[in-house]
Amino acid sequence: MSGITSPIALVTGANRGIGRATVEELARRGHDIVLTYRSHADEAAEAVRAVEAEGRRAVALQLDIADAAAIEPFVAALRAALHETWGATTIDALVNNGGMGATTTLGTTSVQVLDELFATHVRGVYLLTQALAAPAEDDPLLADGGSIVNLGTGLTRFVHVGRDAYAAMKGAVGVLTGYWAQELGPRGIRVNTVAPGPVETQFSGWVGDDTLRKVFADATALGRSSVASDIAGVIATLVEPGAAWVTAQRIEASGGYRL
């Protein structure tokens, strides 16, 4: 691990939703945090304050995961932040959470939407993980014995019309999870996917919709709809030492949705 008292986790897209809930849960469990945001710097600052309220340290760094040219300067900024804030050279966990949604159907999907989804959920995740865990030059920023958690989706198991392109990109992330687990395993790095079902967040677009909340609850074995903290708890558990023998897994966190 990083060799300091508190493990450090990097969570992308953590200014709101599942990412925000994840940094707060990790902080409660004793992690310090580096979080990224694409926009809404005010929300990122709120997330930092929430981590600090748990007695942990946090830094927010801007990153557009879809911009391939942004990866190299982000890595440099991360190295600097680790040195300045913690006197550290590595992180202990990477949570690839940042993303975008799109509702499309076959026959109406544009090249632009496909490119944006690919750049965000596949290329961006790949390039960031490569830069942190297996750079061609310099020492890896992800410590030996660390953990990677990729965000997938339950939509790779069940179908919601209009989500085919998004689900396909997340399916690719699931494939990468297995390959990375094999490639990084000799360094003791575990790689897993968490696949949420419907979650009531701004990302999903149905916050406060009682009708949809009931629809999803009625289709869920545990009898209610999901909120961001439900997913955050699973992510945090996979990062911790208690999950040290879990790798290359797709773990669906859906409460038993549409079994």
Side-chain angles (χ1 to χ4, degrees):
M1 306 298 276
S2 63
I4 61 174
T5 302
S6 300
I8 303 170
L10 168 62
V11 183
T12 65
N15 55 294
R16 60 173 61 175
I18 292 172
R20 169 69 178 270
T22 298
V23 300
E24 293 183 13
E25 181 63 25
L26 285 168
R28 280 190 288 271
R29 300 189 189 199
H31 288 73
D32 287 344
I33 302 293
V34 179
L35 63 97
T36 79
Y37 63 98
R38 184 178 65 85
S39 56
H40 302 285
D42 56 331
E43 294 178 348
E46 290 176 3
V48 168
R49 288 192 290 272
V51 170
E52 291 173 342
E54 297 293 339
R56 311 312 321 163
R57 286 182 287 180
V59 172
L61 299 176
Q62 198 277 336
L63 173 66
D64 181 356
I65 193 67
D67 181 3
I71 300 297
E72 184 175 350
F74 170 77
V75 170
L78 176 58
R79 287 189 186 277
L82 289 172
H83 175 72
E84 293 168 7
T85 305
W86 290 278
T89 57
T90 57
I91 60 173
D92 301 289
L94 167 63
V95 180
N96 283 311
N97 168 76
M100 61 164 287
T103 300
T104 63
T105 55
L106 192 64
T108 65
T109 304
S110 68
V111 171
Q112 179 182 354
V113 167
L114 284 174
D115 285 348
E116 289 175 350
L117 286 168
F118 178 80
T120 301
H121 294 289
V122 183
R123 187 185 69 192
V125 169
Y126 194 108
L127 292 178
L128 179 62
T129 303
Q130 176 174 262
L132 298 180
E137 301 176 357
D138 296 324
D139 294 328
L141 273 166
L142 181 62
D144 291 358
S147 175
I148 299 172
V149 179
N150 296 321
L151 265 291
T153 178
L155 292 162
T156 57
R157 176 179 67 83
F158 51 78
V159 172
H160 280 185
V161 173
R163 305 293 280 176
D164 59 348
Y166 172 80
M169 303 303 169
K170 288 298 191 179
V173 171
V175 172
L176 291 172
T177 291
Y179 276 83
W180 292 345
Q182 181 66 52
E183 293 176 18
L184 298 173
R187 290 175 49 204
I189 295 174
R190 300 176 295 105
V191 190
N192 293 288
T193 292
V194 171
V199 184
E200 188 173 353
T201 64
Q202 291 167 302
F203 181 89
S204 66
W206 57 280
V207 172
D209 189 323
D210 290 335
T211 299
L212 278 178
R213 191 180 289 134
K214 184 177 187 306
V215 168
F216 293 134
D218 289 346
T220 300
L222 292 180
R224 65 170 176 84
S225 59
S226 175
V227 294
S229 59
D230 295 319
I231 315 305
V234 179
I235 294 169
T237 297
L238 284 173
V239 166
E240 292 192 316
W245 203 235
V246 179
T247 195
Q249 300 304 302
R250 175 193 180 275
I251 298 173
E252 184 175 306
S254 69
Y257 179 70
R258 284 177 56 173
L259 294 177

